[in-house]
Amino acid sequence: MTPGTVIIVGCGPVGLGAALELARFGVPSVVLEQRISPSRHPKTRNFNTRTMEIARGWGPAVYRRLRGIDTPDGWKSPIRFLDTVVGKEFGRIDSKGFEGPGPEVSPALPVMSSQDLLTEILRDAAAATGLVEFRFGHRVTDVTSGAGDLDTQAVVQVTDEATGESYALSGAALVAADGVDSLVRQALGVRLEGEQGIHHFVNCYFHSPVEQYVGERTGVLLYVANSDALGVLQPLDANGRWLCQISVPPEQWNRETWTDGRVRDWVRAAVGVSGLEVDVRSVGMWRMNVTVAERLVFGRVVLCGDAAHQFPPTGGLGVNTGLQGMHNAMWKLALCVRGLADWSLLDTYDIERRPPARRTADQSYENFRNVARMGAATYGFGEDLDPDAILRETRRYGNHLGVEFGTVYDSAAIVPDGSRPPVVEDDYSDYAPSATPGCRAPHVRLGTDGALSTLDLFGPGFTVLTGPDGTAWQEAAAVAAHRLRLPVAGYTIGSPGLTDPDGLFLRRYGTGSEGAVLVRPDGYVGWRSAGAATAAGEQLTEAIERIIGRGEY
C-alpha cells in the first residue's frame, strides 16, 4: 500500500465519509467491508442540515446528488398516530426539524431518503477521488498492532471471504466504522457504557403503493396501533418504497418468526387494506441501545459511528452523530498521519465528542420514551402524560437545532478567549449563533446576492476570517502557513465578492473591524482575537501550534 494509507473498516455512511474526508487532505485509504457487496437494506433515512454542511465539503456534485434523492414536500412532517393508515387518526406532532432550520442558520438543506441510495452516492464520490481502494468480502478478524500509545502503525488480520485466505494488512492508522457489533471494538476488548437491548425491533424494507391510501395524511412517521399491527411506517421516496419498524418482545426477535409472509400480513394490517400488494425486499433485526464506548481513541485506532456509540432513533441522530463525530476526527487523523500535528491532537476527538455523544444519547432515549408514552396515552392504553410534557416533547421533535449546531468543544484543540456562548433556554432544541472558541463558526451570507456563505470558505486547512480593517491578519496567515507547513487561508470580509449585505459578520463573529477568527478544518472556531495585534503573525502561529499540539503552552 501507499505509505500513509489509513485502513477503514466498514463501508456504511460513516466509513465512506471517513474515506472522503481523508481524501480531502490527500490521505489514501483502504476500505474493508465483510459483505460481498454493498448492503441494499435502507437502515437510516435522514442526513440532517449539519451533516449536509459537511457533505458540501465533498464537492457540489455530491451535495446536489444527495439533494436529488430528497423526499418530496409534505413527507417530512408531521408525525401521525393512527389505528390504521386508512382508519382513525388520534393525534399528530409537527416535526419541522426534518425540514431544516432555514437560510438564516445554514446554506444547506437536509435530505430524507434511504441509506442504500445515500451510500451509493458517497461510494461513487470516494472512488472518484482516486485515493480510496475498496475491498468487499474482506473481514477483519483481529487487530494485532496500532492500539498502543507507542505503536507506529496499525495492523489487522483479514480473511478474504471468497477464497478463505487470511492476510495481514498494515496502515498508518485504523478507523473502526464497522457498526454496532464492531469487530475492531471487540478485538480491542473495548467496554460499552450504558444500556443495551432496551427494546427489540423488526425492520422491514418493502415496496407497496401505500401512498394511494395515505391521501392527504402524509407524514415523516406514521405510527399505527391495532390488534394486528403495532409500530411505525416510514416513507422512503413517496413512490412505493417503505420501511416499517415493528416492536416485538425479545422471544419473538428472530428472523424465523418474522417470515416474509408475516411481515406482509403486518403491513396490510397497519395500512388497513387486506389485499394490499406488498413486495418484501429485506428484513433486519435491531435492538435499541443507549451506549458509548469507554474510549474512542486507542493509539492509532479510532472508533466512529455505531462502533463508538448507539442511540435510540428519535430525531434521526444516530447516523448524523456518527458522521459529525467522524468529521471531528478525520482532520486530526489526517494531520497526524502526514506528520503535521502531534498525535496528542487525535486524543481531542475523544474529549470533544464522547461526552456530548453520551449526553445526546441519554437525551434521545428520554425523548423516545416520552414520545412512546404520548403514543400510549393517545391510543388509550391507560398511561396518562402531563400536558406540559406533551408540549415539551412536541417542541423537541420539531426542533433539533441545539443538537445539530449548538455543541461547544472544550479541549486542547481550542484556545479560549474568556468569553461564553449565549445561554439558550433548551440546549437540545435551541441554537444561538456564536463564534466563541469551541463553537461551530456561524453562517453569514456574503456577496451582493448573498449566495456565498462563510461556510464555503472553510477547506482542508485552517481559515482566518477578518473584519474589513484586519488586513494585518492576512499577512499573519501567510506567516503561519509558511512556518507550520500547513494550509492557512485568509479572507477579509468586505473585500470583493465577500461583502456583508446584512451587516451580520462582526456581530455574529464577535470581533471588531480589526479582529480575526481562526476556524479549524471541521468548521469550528479554534481561536479568536477581538481586535488588532502588534505581532499578529506570532500570535496566530502560536494559536495554531497550540491547537495541533506542536507548542508548549
Side-chain angles (χ1 to χ4, degrees), residues 282-315:
S282 60
V283 178
M285 322 293 290
W286 68 277
R287 297 182 303 166
M288 182 188 293
N289 300 328
V290 183
T291 62
V292 178
E294 58 183 311
R295 286 168 53 195
L296 304 184
V297 178
F298 297 81
R300 294 183 174 225
V301 181
V302 182
L303 305 184
C304 292
D306 284 346
H309 41 62
Q310 297 123 46
F311 299 160
T314 309

Side-chain angles (χ1 to χ4, degrees), residues 131-156:
L131 293 172
V132 182
E133 176 189 346
F134 294 103
R135 298 187 186 181
F136 286 97
H138 288 244
R139 177 170 57 89
V140 172
T141 58
D142 198 10
V143 179
T144 58
S145 181
D149 292 338
L150 300 180
D151 289 345
T152 58
Q153 63 177 352
V155 181
V156 294

